[in-house]
Amino acid sequence: MGTDTVRTPPADGAAELRSQQRGWYFYDWACSVYSTSVLTVFLGPYLTSVAESAADADGYVHPLGIPVRAGSFFAYSVSLSVIVAVLVMPLVGAAADRTGRKKPLLAAAAYLGATATTAMFFLDGDRYLLGGALLIVANAAQSVAMMLYNSYLPQIAPPEQRDAVSSRGWAFGYAAGSLVLVANLVLYTGHDSFGVSESTAVRICLASAGLWWGAFALIPLRRLRDRRSATREAALPGFRQLAATVRDMRRRPLTLAFLLAYLVYNDGIQTVISQASVYGSGELGLGQSTLIGAILLVQVLAVAGALTMGRLARTYGAKRTILGSLIAWTLTLAAGYFLPAGAPVWFFVLAAGIGLVLGGSQALSRSLFSHLVPPGKEAEYFSAYEMSDRGMSWLGPLLFGLTYQLTGSYRAAIISLVGFFVIGFALLARVPVRRAIEEAGNPVPDKI
């Protein structure tokens, strides 16, 4: 793994750190629009329709000669993008730590993703292969960029400020996602009055997310500062680097224990996010406009939730606040089980509950993990964190699908996810966070 660098106290003054923090927030503002408008709302249904227009009489497309159901093409493309990200993130993370040049790598990943997203404007007719390729590039680039972005947190915020800084970053992202989604929905629902077709409106929404990403990424790239590493060792190839990172983490079992807990409860969070609309449409009989409105409500309330939980962490500590959020997730899912069909008001109440705990639980998990990373290995360890966040969340959807297959009930499927929050709570509660921070070689905040 090479020689660890020694983290020295930052020479930057308080004003310089505040400037870097403000710039850091703006990367969440820049890239979260991709996650909201592209991945969550528009690309899945649109790319599926493009694939269906290119399908044969049996409903199959044939990328590289492989028969694939048109309805599965989007999901397979997302899965392939995760595989690409898993291969690339440890390599880029190790290179960033060993050279100290995070910002050029962040710029390359951000603008590769933004360019691919902007190019989705040309996704029309039967160009499903173009859509799949652009999705793979954009999604993998987004994962790599987020890994590098997260790794700046220990550099720009002293230990006692990280919960608040991380929470503000998440809040910025949700605010941007809400703002652009409103504009997208105005264009999409009123496309006739704007003189464009529905297909063109969707392509404009997709491309606008890329332009937004690229434009606002200039702010963090201008304000963030690299700190050059004392080591200059070459990064290992692909899987060898990933294996080396895992071996190093095994020397810090408490950091690994936290990552395991996060993997479990975050799998539950990601599954709720991805399957809530399926539950709303399939079990509760709600329309598309109601579901999109609920997504927007989640985005808006996640801003307040992230900031509120950041303040709670200053009083009760990040670990206790996260544990409290996991209890709230459990109660929210239990309430969701009893929602009456055909009652959008109660579905909006459920969405409000999700929004209030969503941003905070993710933001505080990020800041808490930053305390458990050994000095000089921020990007490398955050590559493992990002893979837990994006690359390992497969068990929840599998359990959700199997439960529905066996019971024929989305209510049973949604309640089956409670186990992820219960097990995650138990695993996190057992992690002695103060000792974990000390063993990682970092100062322990007063409240953790």
Side-chain angles (χ1 to χ4, degrees):
M1 290 302 299
T3 305
D4 288 355
T5 56
V6 176
R7 183 180 295 165
T8 56
D12 311 276
E16 171 64 18
L17 276 184
R18 284 195 298 271
S19 175
Q20 290 193 57
Q21 288 170 7
R22 294 189 190 105
W24 188 80
Y25 301 149
F26 268 97
Y27 190 74
D28 245 322
W29 175 273
C31 72
S32 292
V33 171
Y34 166 81
S35 300
T36 303
S37 291
V38 177
L39 276 187
T40 304
V41 177
F42 289 109
L43 185 58
Y46 184 70
L47 182 55
T48 299
S49 70
V50 172
E52 288 172 346
S53 69
D56 59 21
D58 296 321
Y60 284 85
V61 290
H62 299 270
L64 304 177
I66 303 170
V68 173
R69 283 194 180 275
S72 300
F73 183 73
F74 173 73
Y76 288 148
S77 298
V78 172
S79 297
L80 185 54
S81 73
V82 170
I83 293 171
V84 172
V86 166
L87 291 173
V88 174
M89 278 193 292
L91 183 65
V92 175
D97 286 334
R98 290 187 171 115
T99 65
R101 293 177 59 83
K102 295 179 190 176
K103 193 156 68 169
L105 294 169
L106 174 60
Y111 281 102
L112 180 61
T115 300
T117 305
T118 305
M120 290 178 185
F121 179 79
F122 301 103
L123 176 58
D124 60 355
D126 59 358
R127 297 178 178 175
Y128 76 96
L129 279 177
L130 174 64
L134 292 175
L135 170 58
I136 291 166
V137 171
N139 218 35
Q142 159 75 331
S143 295
V144 172
M146 282 301 295
M147 174 266 294
L148 293 164
Y149 162 74
N150 287 337
S151 73
Y152 273 100
L153 181 57
Q155 177 179 316
I156 65 169
E160 67 277 6
Q161 293 182 13
R162 286 185 202 162
D163 293 338
V165 170
S166 182
S167 297
R168 289 188 200 114
W170 277 104
F172 264 61
Y174 283 117
S178 302
L179 179 65
V180 175
L181 186 57
V182 168
N184 288 164
L185 292 179
V186 168
L187 174 62
Y188 177 72
T189 56
H191 59 86
D192 286 335
S193 61
F194 289 101
V196 298
S197 66
E198 181 178 328
S199 171
T200 301
V202 171
R203 291 190 291 119
I204 291 173
C205 292
L206 295 173
S208 66
L211 294 174
W212 180 282
W213 186 356
F216 285 103
L218 291 170
I219 299 174
L221 291 173
R222 183 173 181 179
R223 292 199 175 189
L224 291 172
R225 299 287 181 265
D226 278 339
R227 291 187 183 139
R228 298 300 174 88
S229 172
T231 60
R232 289 291 185 273
E233 299 180 26
L236 299 172
F239 278 120
R240 288 180 59 197
Q241 181 60 62
L242 177 59
T245 301
V246 171
R247 283 197 302 272
D248 189 72
M249 293 188 75
R250 288 176 63 186
R251 294 165 43 206
R252 298 170 176 87
L254 297 181
T255 298
L256 201 57
F258 171 81
L259 198 60
L260 175 62
Y262 174 73
L263 187 154
V264 173
Y265 68 74
N266 183 65
D267 200 348
I269 292 173
Q270 297 301 324
T271 306
V272 173
I273 295 170
S274 65
Q275 302 302 320
S277 61
V278 176
Y279 181 67
S281 60
E283 185 69 36
L284 305 182
L286 303 176
Q288 185 68 22
S289 59
T290 299
L291 298 177
I292 293 176
I295 292 170
L296 182 58
L297 179 62
V298 168
Q299 295 290 313
V300 172
L301 290 181
V303 177
L307 296 176
T308 300
M309 287 181 64
R311 287 192 287 269
L312 288 174
R314 289 201 294 270
T315 302
Y316 300 104
K319 178 182 173 180
R320 289 180 181 175
T321 307
I322 295 170
L323 290 172
S325 78
L326 298 182
I327 295 173
W329 274 107
T330 302
L331 295 176
T332 300
L333 285 183
Y337 178 83
F338 294 103
L339 286 186
V345 171
W346 289 110
F347 189 72
F348 278 110
V349 172
L350 180 69
I354 291 174
L356 289 173
V357 294
L358 173 61
S361 54
Q362 292 176 316
L364 294 179
S365 296
R366 175 171 66 183
S367 61
L368 182 54
F369 183 71
S370 74
H371 294 288
L372 309 181
V373 177
K377 293 182 178 292
E378 291 86 358
E380 190 176 339
Y381 270 57
F382 268 107
S383 71
Y385 179 87
E386 191 68 16
M387 281 187 284
S388 298
D389 189 14
R390 297 175 186 271
M392 303 300 182
S393 297
W394 57 270
L395 185 58
L398 176 62
L399 178 62
F400 186 92
L402 286 176
T403 304
Y404 177 75
Q405 182 172 328
L406 294 173
T407 66
S409 168
Y410 282 117
R411 293 186 188 274
I414 203 75
I415 205 68
S416 71
L417 302 179
V418 166
F420 288 95
F421 299 103
V422 173
I423 296 171
F425 181 98
L427 291 174
L428 178 58
R430 291 173 57 87
V431 178
V433 172
R434 287 186 175 276
R435 184 151 59 89
I437 297 172
E438 292 171 350
E439 290 185 3
N442 294 315
V444 181
D446 292 335
K447 291 289 185 180
I448 195 64

